[in-house]
Amino acid sequence: MLDAKTVDTWIFDLDNTLYPAGSNIFARVSTRITEYVQTRFSLEHEPARALQKDMFRRYGTTLNGLMVEHGIDGEEYLHFVHDIDVADIAPDHALEAAISRLPGRKIIYTNGSVPHARRIMGRIGVDHHFEDVFDIVAAGYVPKPNPDPYNALVSRYGLDPARCVMVEDMARNLEPAAALGMATVWLSGTLDWAKEGAEEPYVHHVAEDLTAWLNGLSVPQSA
């Protein structure tokens, strides 16, 4: 079990991590990505989905692939794909309470955008616990698991990786964090494509439910 007393900074992914994959929030974004590809390249739905998946598989995000191969505008893309309805996202009081117990700093690290993250965090009710959001723009549009933005994250916030914990639903995104010396937590029970790397040694801890896992940590009484 992770000893929370040794942790200075908690780094959380956003999509399918702070909220469960079953809520289909990320699926709404995926639908908007397909719509963007359809419009941008004048494609029918299935060819657009095929291109979207190909870019994601080869480049880590559809955005990165489209920027590299087609020179699309990243800001325009992010604004379009994150224009989703979030009115049905309810506050997660249990998660909010669990995060409030954690000692130290909390940062979101997402392949999405700051506005998207802030909207979701606000709906869940956890935004006030987080110091900042390190997003795909701050990463120079280089997505996880490329190690470069992980180094930039550490530099920007003056982190000591040996006293950091990173929580992710995509197991392979934990490899660079572990290489830096961070403790890693894979949130299992999500989507099949998120399981790649789950058996690798860079996954230090596995959590089936984020709130339950956080509540199971031993934290200092003053936290």
Side-chain angles (χ1 to χ4, degrees):
M1 174 61 69
L2 178 73
D3 183 358
K5 294 187 290 296
T6 67
V7 180
D8 288 338
T9 306
W10 304 82
I11 303 166
F12 290 86
D13 177 47
L14 175 76
D15 292 309
N16 298 335
T17 298
L18 279 193
Y19 61 82
S23 64
N24 291 322
I25 298 171
F26 190 74
R28 301 173 203 181
V29 175
S30 182
T31 296
R32 291 290 287 173
I33 294 174
T34 307
E35 292 172 1
Y36 179 91
V37 174
Q38 283 186 267
T39 301
R40 178 67 171 75
F41 299 101
S42 301
L43 296 173
E44 297 297 325
H45 181 269
E46 288 308 313
R49 282 287 293 172
L51 177 59
Q52 174 184 348
K53 291 179 180 179
D54 178 60
M55 293 290 101
F56 180 85
R57 177 181 57 81
R58 292 194 290 120
Y59 289 95
T61 62
T62 304
L63 169 60
N64 192 34
L66 294 178
M67 291 182 73
V68 171
E69 295 196 4
H70 301 282
I72 69 158
D73 182 272
E75 184 176 343
E76 174 190 80
Y77 171 97
L78 291 170
H79 178 76
F80 183 92
V81 304
H82 290 144
D83 184 17
I84 61 171
D85 183 9
V86 298
D88 62 331
I89 301 174
D92 190 336
H93 300 296
L95 177 62
E96 188 279 330
I99 291 175
S100 72
R101 296 176 60 245
L102 299 177
R105 306 162 72 186
K106 293 98 178 178
I107 297 169
I108 296 292
Y109 175 18
T110 176
N111 275 344
S113 67
V114 168
H116 173 65
R118 290 295 183 190
R119 289 177 72 206
I120 300 299
M121 293 159 65
R123 296 295 303 181
I124 297 172
V126 299
D127 51 323
H128 58 292
H129 290 304
F130 288 89
E131 173 183 331
D132 205 1
V133 176
F134 186 84
D135 72 344
I136 194 67
V137 180
Y141 292 102
V142 177
K144 308 170 190 175
N146 187 298
D148 290 344
Y150 292 73
N151 292 322
L153 172 77
V154 168
S155 177
R156 171 174 289 201
Y157 301 107
L159 304 179
D160 176 0
R163 298 187 64 83
C164 293
V165 172
M166 185 168 180
V167 183
E168 259 276 357
D169 72 297
M170 293 188 65
R172 66 176 183 167
N173 288 347
L174 294 171
E175 184 174 12
L180 285 170
M182 297 183 188
T184 64
V185 182
W186 176 53
L187 188 59
S188 67
T190 54
L191 303 168
D192 286 341
W193 49 263
K195 297 177 181 178
E196 180 184 346
E199 302 300 322
E200 298 296 331
Y202 54 74
V203 175
H204 303 148
H205 306 274
V206 178
E208 294 184 3
D209 178 88
L210 179 59
T211 301
W213 187 83
L214 292 175
N215 283 334
L217 295 175
S218 175
V219 302
Q221 293 300 312
S222 58

